[in-house]
Amino acid sequence: MIGSMSSAEVVDHSAALAAGQAALREGRWAAAKAEFERALTGRESADALAGLADALWWLCEAKPSVRCRERAFVLLSKSGDAAGAGRQAIDLAISYLVNLGNEAAAHGWLARAERVTGTLTPNPLQGWLCLLRAFLSGLPDSRDLLHNALEFARTAGDPDLELVALADLGLALVVADEVDDGLTLLDEAMAATLAGEYERLDTVVYASCDMLAGCSLAGDLDRAAQWCRVADDFMRQYGSPFLYARCRVHYGSVLVEKGQWDRADEQLRAALWMAEDAGPGPRAEAAARLAELRVRQGRLDEAAALLAEFDDAARVPIPAAAVYLAQGEAGAAAAMLERHRARLGDRRVELAPTLALLADAYLATGDQESAEEAAEQLARVADQSGRPYAVALAALAQAGVLAASGRHADAAERTDVALRWFERLDLPLDAARARLGLARLAAGTNPENAITEARSALSAFEQLGARRDADRAAAFLRDLGAAGRVGPKRGGVLTRREQEVLRLVGRGLTNPEIAARLYISRKTAAHHVSHILAKLGLRNRAEAVAYALRELGS
């Protein structure tokens, strides 16, 4: 205890505590962690424990953060600091719910926060308690609670509470299908937050995650991308504010749609790791989005492997159906999507991608009537929502139905509408697919234009690394008598290790032999070979051998 410590040790504790707090304010999370751990050497204090909990939280170490915060709560409660204990209890409720997926523990910590602050008059945390009750309740209850939290925030002059409540209310409105009003509130919350109106850095986390979730539900990823660009300065100084698995999934999805697939891969794999402690829901979302990326890359086996752990395909309907469709099992894809459509009911904001894929699945089965019905419903959804992405998807679905009935001129007009929207929204894969669709429609009447459009699509597919799409575009060009590829599909830069693996592939070694030669696991060797094929746009091992002999002299 302090009485048995030297004055130098006491000074050292205070200095470490101050250094830790300074590091937190500057976003130097690892340094903050080290200082708070030093402050706790020989002396346990609530301030140091709470600071260490904050640093660990920013470092995505959720379980250790919770343990430190629980101990800080106990110390503060014993010392009679009801407000301090209440603040820790509120943060624990949020961490248990969002980081660890434990709703029961979250409710327990809300109750504890209410009890320890119940004697305070006035209660400085009353607005936060109201906000947390809203967070743990469903619509429509949450809306009234969030309005109450806003009133508390404005009365108390609490900018963090006001910004988080605004963002939460915006997301609640989007979920309730009041999309425009919800996005307006989310825009306001993000503008004020990124302008620096907050006092607590975690306010940026809460507002950013609400914004990404709302934009994802609304199918407005362009808006999300614009806000992520505004947040670049914050990210450079403090790191990513997407500290929850679901938020990281949404961020990765934005990067996927915008064609930044290497960064998306990194973010989605991080989300999968973060979701280990967050329960099956967030993990399924992370696996689903990573599988969607793998489908776009043409890596179907990897997509299927990601989804294999989920016996209930209802958790991952879109990517599972996309895999079925890509493998030629369109009937299974349509059946899965029909079940998902029934579960969604009239939740307009989530229907568009499901209906678009469903129309494709029915066209692949030859059921034109069902495809037309799905396309018509998608057009109504787009009409009602007014969201540009839904409008583009509806136009493309209509084009598919028209083309199937032989109305190629009308189909080309609808495809062109979709293409213009996709280009305006900066969605490179969707735009390239629409352009290849235009090429197919023009093949019979204007082969020169068809070749021009197909080559443009092929170039985009190769740049993205969309192998299956590139294969289709190249095959179409060959059918028209035009040159397709003149070399590898994508000049991805190989790492030094991948170059070593490629040389051994060129010498005819199997994956187990490569693993033994390089002292790595067989699984790692297989992953290296898979990545090499993807980066170089090679279809199989034989092409990799030929490439290695030609380029590396193996």
Side-chain angles (χ1 to χ4, degrees):
M1 301 302 293
I2 293 178
S4 62
M5 294 172 66
S6 70
S7 60
E9 288 174 313
V10 173
V11 170
D12 187 61
H13 169 84
S14 300
L17 191 60
Q21 296 292 354
L24 276 184
R25 288 191 296 272
E26 296 165 7
R28 295 182 292 112
W29 314 121
K33 175 186 175 184
E35 292 294 347
F36 288 125
E37 287 174 339
R38 186 163 69 90
L40 287 165
T41 303
R43 177 186 176 186
E44 190 176 56
S45 75
D47 286 345
L49 285 164
L52 180 56
D54 287 341
L56 290 167
W57 183 73
W58 280 96
L59 290 167
C60 296
E61 298 181 40
K63 283 185 175 178
S65 172
V66 161
R67 287 195 295 270
C68 290
R69 203 173 297 286
E70 285 174 339
R71 185 59 188 156
F73 168 84
V74 171
L75 293 181
L76 289 165
S77 185
K78 284 182 177 178
S79 71
D81 184 353
R87 180 72 253 184
Q88 296 304 312
I90 288 170
D91 288 345
L92 281 164
I94 295 171
S95 287
Y96 265 112
L97 183 67
V98 188
N99 289 114
L100 302 179
N102 191 326
E103 191 171 341
H107 279 285
W109 279 107
L110 169 60
R112 199 74 191 122
E114 291 174 329
R115 184 174 296 278
V116 298
T117 61
T119 59
L120 297 176
T121 307
N123 184 348
L125 296 176
Q126 190 170 0
W128 285 99
L129 293 170
C130 191
L131 183 76
L132 189 52
R133 283 194 293 273
F135 197 41
L136 288 167
S137 69
L139 287 168
D141 295 339
S142 66
R143 211 178 301 185
D144 290 338
L145 289 167
L146 290 169
H147 280 296
N148 291 341
L150 273 173
E151 288 302 315
F152 282 122
R154 288 161 181 163
T155 300
D158 186 336
D160 296 291
L161 177 59
E162 179 180 3
L163 294 173
V164 177
L166 268 178
D168 282 357
L169 182 57
L171 178 57
L173 291 174
V174 172
V175 171
D177 229 5
E178 298 177 33
V179 176
D180 289 334
D181 290 342
L183 292 176
T184 297
L185 289 183
L186 287 166
D187 284 345
E188 180 186 353
M190 287 298 292
T193 299
L194 293 177
E197 288 189 26
Y198 58 83
E199 292 178 358
R200 290 170 52 113
L201 282 170
D202 53 5
T203 297
V204 182
V205 174
Y206 302 140
S208 297
C209 288
D210 281 346
M211 176 276 295
L212 283 176
C215 290
S216 178
L217 277 174
D220 197 342
L221 294 183
D222 193 53
R223 185 188 232 102
Q226 290 178 49
W227 277 121
C228 287
R229 288 198 294 272
V230 177
D232 277 348
D233 287 343
F234 182 92
M235 291 189 197
R236 277 191 289 271
Q237 182 169 356
Y238 300 106
S240 174
F242 310 124
L243 299 184
Y244 302 128
R246 280 195 165 110
C247 302
R248 194 65 66 97
V249 167
H250 292 314
Y251 182 46
S253 299
V254 171
L255 296 172
V256 169
E257 296 294 341
K258 295 297 181 180
Q260 300 177 47
W261 288 0
D262 288 340
R263 288 181 62 200
D265 184 271
E266 177 186 338
Q267 294 296 325
L268 291 172
R269 284 189 289 107
L272 200 59
W273 168 75
M274 292 166 69
E276 287 288 348
D277 296 325
R283 180 165 179 78
E285 288 182 19
R289 295 302 174 89
L290 187 55
E292 286 178 20
L293 173 58
R294 294 291 180 259
V295 171
R296 290 171 183 237
Q297 293 169 320
R299 295 156 64 176
L300 298 184
D301 289 345
E302 292 178 53
L306 281 164
L307 303 176
E309 70 175 273
F310 302 102
D311 295 330
D312 179 11
R315 286 189 179 275
V316 288
I318 300 293
V323 170
Y324 277 130
L325 189 56
Q327 292 174 334
E329 300 179 52
M336 181 174 293
L337 291 166
E338 280 290 7
R339 290 193 294 273
H340 188 52
R341 173 162 68 164
R343 280 190 294 269
L344 289 175
D346 60 356
R347 286 153 65 185
R348 188 176 67 210
V349 294
E350 298 177 63
L351 269 172
T354 299
L355 291 169
L357 193 58
L358 182 60
D360 286 344
Y362 277 131
L363 286 174
T365 66
D367 186 349
Q368 190 173 334
E369 183 178 348
S370 294
E372 186 172 357
E373 185 274 328
E376 287 175 353
Q377 185 183 1
L378 177 53
R380 291 194 298 273
V381 167
D383 234 14
Q384 293 163 359
S385 72
R387 311 268 39 105
Y389 185 56
V391 171
L393 289 178
L396 201 60
Q398 291 167 335
V401 172
L402 290 166
S405 63
R407 297 169 58 186
H408 288 183
D410 292 334
E413 184 274 329
R414 300 310 296 156
T415 303
D416 191 56
V417 169
L419 174 60
R420 290 199 303 271
W421 274 116
F422 288 140
E423 289 181 335
R424 189 178 305 176
L425 295 170
D426 188 26
L427 302 175
L429 181 66
D430 293 296
R433 286 175 172 173
R435 198 172 288 283
L436 182 58
L438 280 177
R440 292 186 187 284
L441 291 167
T445 57
N446 192 341
E448 288 186 4
N449 186 55
I451 290 170
T452 299
E453 295 285 12
R455 280 180 172 158
S456 177
L458 175 59
S459 176
F461 292 141
E462 289 177 337
Q463 186 173 355
L464 286 166
R467 296 191 316 204
R468 286 173 56 82
D469 289 285
D471 286 343
R472 283 193 285 266
F476 174 73
L477 283 165
R478 288 194 297 272
D479 289 343
L480 291 180
R485 297 188 183 92
V486 293
K489 290 182 268 185
R490 186 187 184 203
V493 178
L494 300 184
T495 66
R496 183 175 299 177
R497 175 62 89 183
E498 286 168 345
Q499 290 176 12
E500 291 175 338
V501 171
L502 180 59
R503 282 193 174 89
L504 296 177
V505 169
R507 294 171 189 168
L509 273 65
T510 64
N511 286 355
E513 290 169 336
I514 292 171
R517 181 75 62 90
L518 298 179
Y519 301 100
I520 57 179
S521 71
R522 294 185 178 188
K523 184 176 181 181
T524 299
H527 283 164
H528 280 314
V529 173
S530 176
H531 291 162
I532 289 166
L533 295 177
K535 283 186 175 183
L536 297 179
L538 304 171
R539 287 175 293 184
N540 51 46
R541 205 178 189 92
E543 287 191 1
V545 170
Y547 181 93
L549 291 171
R550 183 176 69 251
E551 301 294 332
L552 303 179
S554 296

PDB file of all heavy atoms in Angstrom, residues 7 84 109 126 132 177 199 261 294 300 320 326 335 347 372 380 434 452 460 481-482 490 515:
ATOM      1  N   SER A   7       8.721   7.386  -1.426  1.00  0.00           N
ATOM      2  CA  SER A   7       8.221   8.564  -2.140  1.00  0.00           C
ATOM      3  C   SER A   7       8.567   8.479  -3.617  1.00  0.00           C
ATOM      4  O   SER A   7       7.816   8.925  -4.475  1.00  0.00           O
ATOM      5  CB  SER A   7       8.819   9.838  -1.530  1.00  0.00           C
ATOM      6  OG  SER A   7      10.239   9.801  -1.620  1.00  0.00           O
ATOM      7  N   GLY A  84     -18.036   7.796 -11.022  1.00  0.00           N
ATOM      8  CA  GLY A  84     -16.945   7.094 -11.693  1.00  0.00           C
ATOM      9  C   GLY A  84     -17.271   5.629 -11.910  1.00  0.00           C
ATOM     10  O   GLY A  84     -17.018   5.072 -12.989  1.00  0.00           O
ATOM     11  N   TRP A 109     -24.857  -5.123 -16.452  1.00  0.00           N
ATOM     12  CA  TRP A 109     -24.059  -3.933 -16.165  1.00  0.00           C
ATOM     13  C   TRP A 109     -24.877  -2.653 -16.288  1.00  0.00           C
ATOM     14  O   TRP A 109     -24.614  -1.677 -15.580  1.00  0.00           O
ATOM     15  CB  TRP A 109     -22.824  -3.889 -17.057  1.00  0.00           C
ATOM     16  CG  TRP A 109     -21.734  -4.767 -16.506  1.00  0.00           C
ATOM     17  CD1 TRP A 109     -21.314  -5.961 -16.975  1.00  0.00           C
ATOM     18  CD2 TRP A 109     -20.982  -4.514 -15.311  1.00  0.00           C
ATOM     19  NE1 TRP A 109     -20.340  -6.481 -16.169  1.00  0.00           N
ATOM     20  CE2 TRP A 109     -20.112  -5.608 -15.132  1.00  0.00           C
ATOM     21  CE3 TRP A 109     -20.959  -3.487 -14.381  1.00  0.00           C
ATOM     22  CZ2 TRP A 109     -19.220  -5.695 -14.065  1.00  0.00           C
ATOM     23  CZ3 TRP A 109     -20.069  -3.568 -13.317  1.00  0.00           C
ATOM     24  CH2 TRP A 109     -19.217  -4.658 -13.165  1.00  0.00           C
ATOM     25  N   GLN A 126     -27.500  10.260 -16.193  1.00  0.00           N
ATOM     26  CA  GLN A 126     -28.868   9.874 -16.527  1.00  0.00           C
ATOM     27  C   GLN A 126     -29.080   9.773 -18.034  1.00  0.00           C
ATOM     28  O   GLN A 126     -29.734   8.859 -18.530  1.00  0.00           O
ATOM     29  CB  GLN A 126     -29.848  10.892 -15.928  1.00  0.00           C
ATOM     30  CG  GLN A 126     -31.301  10.463 -16.013  1.00  0.00           C
ATOM     31  CD  GLN A 126     -32.208  11.363 -15.199  1.00  0.00           C
ATOM     32  OE1 GLN A 126     -31.754  12.309 -14.573  1.00  0.00           O
ATOM     33  NE2 GLN A 126     -33.498  11.069 -15.201  1.00  0.00           N
ATOM     34  N   LEU A 132     -28.169   3.986 -23.170  1.00  0.00           N
ATOM     35  CA  LEU A 132     -27.852   2.562 -23.101  1.00  0.00           C
ATOM     36  C   LEU A 132     -29.122   1.719 -23.087  1.00  0.00           C
ATOM     37  O   LEU A 132     -29.186   0.645 -23.702  1.00  0.00           O
ATOM     38  CB  LEU A 132     -26.999   2.278 -21.857  1.00  0.00           C
ATOM     39  CG  LEU A 132     -26.396   0.877 -21.746  1.00  0.00           C
ATOM     40  CD1 LEU A 132     -25.630   0.508 -23.010  1.00  0.00           C
ATOM     41  CD2 LEU A 132     -25.477   0.806 -20.535  1.00  0.00           C
ATOM     42  N   ASP A 177     -36.869   1.987 -41.775  1.00  0.00           N
ATOM     43  CA  ASP A 177     -37.170   2.293 -43.172  1.00  0.00           C
ATOM     44  C   ASP A 177     -37.445   3.768 -43.420  1.00  0.00           C
ATOM     45  O   ASP A 177     -37.949   4.138 -44.474  1.00  0.00           O
ATOM     46  CB  ASP A 177     -38.344   1.451 -43.682  1.00  0.00           C
ATOM     47  CG  ASP A 177     -38.013   0.785 -45.017  1.00  0.00           C
ATOM     48  OD1 ASP A 177     -36.869   0.904 -45.478  1.00  0.00           O
ATOM     49  OD2 ASP A 177     -38.898   0.138 -45.597  1.00  0.00           O
ATOM     50  N   GLU A 199     -15.459  15.295 -26.813  1.00  0.00           N
ATOM     51  CA  GLU A 199     -14.460  15.370 -25.741  1.00  0.00           C
ATOM     52  C   GLU A 199     -13.835  14.001 -25.497  1.00  0.00           C
ATOM     53  O   GLU A 199     -12.714  13.913 -25.008  1.00  0.00           O
ATOM     54  CB  GLU A 199     -15.098  15.904 -24.460  1.00  0.00           C
ATOM     55  CG  GLU A 199     -15.527  17.370 -24.569  1.00  0.00           C
ATOM     56  CD  GLU A 199     -16.201  17.898 -23.315  1.00  0.00           C
ATOM     57  OE1 GLU A 199     -16.371  17.103 -22.354  1.00  0.00           O
ATOM     58  OE2 GLU A 199     -16.558  19.088 -23.289  1.00  0.00           O
ATOM     59  N   TRP A 261      -9.621  -4.156 -53.249  1.00  0.00           N
ATOM     60  CA  TRP A 261      -9.777  -5.507 -52.727  1.00  0.00           C
ATOM     61  C   TRP A 261      -8.655  -5.939 -51.804  1.00  0.00           C
ATOM     62  O   TRP A 261      -8.884  -6.730 -50.885  1.00  0.00           O
ATOM     63  CB  TRP A 261      -9.947  -6.488 -53.883  1.00  0.00           C
ATOM     64  CG  TRP A 261     -11.298  -6.345 -54.539  1.00  0.00           C
ATOM     65  CD1 TRP A 261     -12.292  -5.476 -54.192  1.00  0.00           C
ATOM     66  CD2 TRP A 261     -11.796  -7.092 -55.637  1.00  0.00           C
ATOM     67  NE1 TRP A 261     -13.384  -5.633 -55.002  1.00  0.00           N
ATOM     68  CE2 TRP A 261     -13.107  -6.615 -55.918  1.00  0.00           C
ATOM     69  CE3 TRP A 261     -11.277  -8.098 -56.432  1.00  0.00           C
ATOM     70  CZ2 TRP A 261     -13.895  -7.144 -56.944  1.00  0.00           C
ATOM     71  CZ3 TRP A 261     -12.057  -8.628 -57.456  1.00  0.00           C
ATOM     72  CH2 TRP A 261     -13.352  -8.158 -57.700  1.00  0.00           C
ATOM     73  N   ARG A 294     -14.374 -13.294 -52.011  1.00  0.00           N
ATOM     74  CA  ARG A 294     -13.759 -14.445 -52.682  1.00  0.00           C
ATOM     75  C   ARG A 294     -14.554 -14.837 -53.939  1.00  0.00           C
ATOM     76  O   ARG A 294     -13.960 -15.216 -54.955  1.00  0.00           O
ATOM     77  CB  ARG A 294     -13.683 -15.632 -51.717  1.00  0.00           C
ATOM     78  CG  ARG A 294     -12.753 -15.409 -50.532  1.00  0.00           C
ATOM     79  CD  ARG A 294     -11.302 -15.372 -50.978  1.00  0.00           C
ATOM     80  NE  ARG A 294     -10.416 -15.153 -49.849  1.00  0.00           N
ATOM     81  CZ  ARG A 294      -9.869 -13.983 -49.531  1.00  0.00           C
ATOM     82  NH1 ARG A 294     -10.110 -12.910 -50.295  1.00  0.00           N
ATOM     83  NH2 ARG A 294      -9.080 -13.861 -48.477  1.00  0.00           N
ATOM     84  N   LEU A 300     -13.798 -19.650 -55.603  1.00  0.00           N
ATOM     85  CA  LEU A 300     -15.030 -20.249 -55.086  1.00  0.00           C
ATOM     86  C   LEU A 300     -14.761 -21.268 -53.986  1.00  0.00           C
ATOM     87  O   LEU A 300     -15.548 -21.384 -53.034  1.00  0.00           O
ATOM     88  CB  LEU A 300     -15.805 -20.907 -56.230  1.00  0.00           C
ATOM     89  CG  LEU A 300     -16.281 -19.975 -57.340  1.00  0.00           C
ATOM     90  CD1 LEU A 300     -17.108 -20.751 -58.346  1.00  0.00           C
ATOM     91  CD2 LEU A 300     -17.093 -18.822 -56.770  1.00  0.00           C
ATOM     92  N   ALA A 320     -23.739 -17.545 -49.884  1.00  0.00           N
ATOM     93  CA  ALA A 320     -23.983 -18.966 -50.136  1.00  0.00           C
ATOM     94  C   ALA A 320     -24.722 -19.147 -51.456  1.00  0.00           C
ATOM     95  O   ALA A 320     -24.386 -20.029 -52.264  1.00  0.00           O
ATOM     96  CB  ALA A 320     -24.782 -19.571 -48.988  1.00  0.00           C
ATOM     97  N   ALA A 326     -22.631 -19.549 -59.001  1.00  0.00           N
ATOM     98  CA  ALA A 326     -21.366 -19.623 -59.739  1.00  0.00           C
ATOM     99  C   ALA A 326     -20.989 -21.056 -60.078  1.00  0.00           C
ATOM    100  O   ALA A 326     -20.314 -21.313 -61.083  1.00  0.00           O
ATOM    101  CB  ALA A 326     -20.250 -18.966 -58.932  1.00  0.00           C
ATOM    102  N   ALA A 335     -33.806 -21.126 -54.396  1.00  0.00           N
ATOM    103  CA  ALA A 335     -34.552 -21.585 -53.221  1.00  0.00           C
ATOM    104  C   ALA A 335     -34.050 -20.900 -51.953  1.00  0.00           C
ATOM    105  O   ALA A 335     -34.841 -20.474 -51.096  1.00  0.00           O
ATOM    106  CB  ALA A 335     -34.428 -23.104 -53.094  1.00  0.00           C
ATOM    107  N   ARG A 347     -38.966  -5.308 -45.291  1.00  0.00           N
ATOM    108  CA  ARG A 347     -37.820  -4.474 -44.904  1.00  0.00           C
ATOM    109  C   ARG A 347     -37.114  -4.007 -46.173  1.00  0.00           C
ATOM    110  O   ARG A 347     -36.147  -4.592 -46.641  1.00  0.00           O
ATOM    111  CB  ARG A 347     -36.880  -5.252 -43.987  1.00  0.00           C
ATOM    112  CG  ARG A 347     -37.460  -5.409 -42.574  1.00  0.00           C
ATOM    113  CD  ARG A 347     -36.932  -6.638 -41.873  1.00  0.00           C
ATOM    114  NE  ARG A 347     -35.504  -6.572 -41.625  1.00  0.00           N
ATOM    115  CZ  ARG A 347     -34.812  -7.588 -41.110  1.00  0.00           C
ATOM    116  NH1 ARG A 347     -35.426  -8.709 -40.797  1.00  0.00           N
ATOM    117  NH2 ARG A 347     -33.524  -7.470 -40.901  1.00  0.00           N
ATOM    118  N   GLU A 372     -38.899 -12.248 -63.847  1.00  0.00           N
ATOM    119  CA  GLU A 372     -39.604 -10.990 -64.106  1.00  0.00           C
ATOM    120  C   GLU A 372     -40.297 -10.480 -62.841  1.00  0.00           C
ATOM    121  O   GLU A 372     -40.278  -9.280 -62.555  1.00  0.00           O
ATOM    122  CB  GLU A 372     -40.623 -11.184 -65.226  1.00  0.00           C
ATOM    123  CG  GLU A 372     -41.305  -9.899 -65.649  1.00  0.00           C
ATOM    124  CD  GLU A 372     -42.173 -10.084 -66.883  1.00  0.00           C
ATOM    125  OE1 GLU A 372     -42.196 -11.198 -67.440  1.00  0.00           O
ATOM    126  OE2 GLU A 372     -42.832  -9.100 -67.283  1.00  0.00           O
ATOM    127  N   ARG A 380     -39.928  -1.757 -57.752  1.00  0.00           N
ATOM    128  CA  ARG A 380     -40.775  -1.062 -56.769  1.00  0.00           C
ATOM    129  C   ARG A 380     -39.953  -0.616 -55.566  1.00  0.00           C
ATOM    130  O   ARG A 380     -40.118   0.499 -55.059  1.00  0.00           O
ATOM    131  CB  ARG A 380     -41.929  -1.967 -56.328  1.00  0.00           C
ATOM    132  CG  ARG A 380     -42.968  -2.228 -57.409  1.00  0.00           C
ATOM    133  CD  ARG A 380     -44.233  -2.839 -56.828  1.00  0.00           C
ATOM    134  NE  ARG A 380     -44.006  -4.136 -56.196  1.00  0.00           N
ATOM    135  CZ  ARG A 380     -44.038  -5.309 -56.843  1.00  0.00           C
ATOM    136  NH1 ARG A 380     -44.291  -5.323 -58.154  1.00  0.00           N
ATOM    137  NH2 ARG A 380     -43.839  -6.445 -56.210  1.00  0.00           N
ATOM    138  N   ALA A 434     -21.743  -4.658 -66.224  1.00  0.00           N
ATOM    139  CA  ALA A 434     -22.753  -4.025 -67.081  1.00  0.00           C
ATOM    140  C   ALA A 434     -22.179  -3.780 -68.478  1.00  0.00           C
ATOM    141  O   ALA A 434     -22.865  -3.976 -69.498  1.00  0.00           O
ATOM    142  CB  ALA A 434     -23.227  -2.721 -66.453  1.00  0.00           C
ATOM    143  N   THR A 452     -15.070  -3.426 -78.429  1.00  0.00           N
ATOM    144  CA  THR A 452     -14.570  -2.287 -77.643  1.00  0.00           C
ATOM    145  C   THR A 452     -15.062  -2.370 -76.201  1.00  0.00           C
ATOM    146  O   THR A 452     -14.290  -2.205 -75.250  1.00  0.00           O
ATOM    147  CB  THR A 452     -15.031  -0.968 -78.280  1.00  0.00           C
ATOM    148  OG1 THR A 452     -14.499  -0.880 -79.598  1.00  0.00           O
ATOM    149  CG2 THR A 452     -14.544   0.214 -77.459  1.00  0.00           C
ATOM    150  N   ALA A 460     -10.899  -3.940 -66.844  1.00  0.00           N
ATOM    151  CA  ALA A 460     -11.338  -3.650 -65.478  1.00  0.00           C
ATOM    152  C   ALA A 460     -11.301  -4.907 -64.618  1.00  0.00           C
ATOM    153  O   ALA A 460     -10.868  -4.878 -63.459  1.00  0.00           O
ATOM    154  CB  ALA A 460     -12.750  -3.060 -65.496  1.00  0.00           C
ATOM    155  N   GLY A 481     -13.703 -13.426 -82.490  1.00  0.00           N
ATOM    156  CA  GLY A 481     -12.522 -13.426 -83.335  1.00  0.00           C
ATOM    157  C   GLY A 481     -11.510 -12.362 -82.963  1.00  0.00           C
ATOM    158  O   GLY A 481     -10.603 -12.049 -83.743  1.00  0.00           O
ATOM    159  N   ALA A 482     -11.654 -11.804 -81.752  1.00  0.00           N
ATOM    160  CA  ALA A 482     -10.735 -10.754 -81.291  1.00  0.00           C
ATOM    161  C   ALA A 482      -9.780 -11.339 -80.265  1.00  0.00           C
ATOM    162  O   ALA A 482     -10.082 -12.323 -79.587  1.00  0.00           O
ATOM    163  CB  ALA A 482     -11.512  -9.594 -80.675  1.00  0.00           C
ATOM    164  N   ARG A 490      -3.316 -10.511 -64.461  1.00  0.00           N
ATOM    165  CA  ARG A 490      -3.090  -9.425 -63.513  1.00  0.00           C
ATOM    166  C   ARG A 490      -1.657  -9.462 -63.037  1.00  0.00           C
ATOM    167  O   ARG A 490      -1.181 -10.461 -62.525  1.00  0.00           O
ATOM    168  CB  ARG A 490      -4.039  -9.579 -62.317  1.00  0.00           C
ATOM    169  CG  ARG A 490      -3.958  -8.398 -61.352  1.00  0.00           C
ATOM    170  CD  ARG A 490      -4.777  -8.715 -60.123  1.00  0.00           C
ATOM    171  NE  ARG A 490      -4.810  -7.594 -59.207  1.00  0.00           N
ATOM    172  CZ  ARG A 490      -5.052  -7.696 -57.920  1.00  0.00           C
ATOM    173  NH1 ARG A 490      -5.280  -8.862 -57.386  1.00  0.00           N
ATOM    174  NH2 ARG A 490      -5.081  -6.636 -57.138  1.00  0.00           N
ATOM    175  N   ALA A 515       6.289 -27.449 -48.804  1.00  0.00           N
ATOM    176  CA  ALA A 515       6.231 -27.218 -47.358  1.00  0.00           C
ATOM    177  C   ALA A 515       7.483 -27.750 -46.673  1.00  0.00           C
ATOM    178  O   ALA A 515       8.072 -27.086 -45.808  1.00  0.00           O
ATOM    179  CB  ALA A 515       4.972 -27.867 -46.777  1.00  0.00           C
TER     180      ALA A 515
END
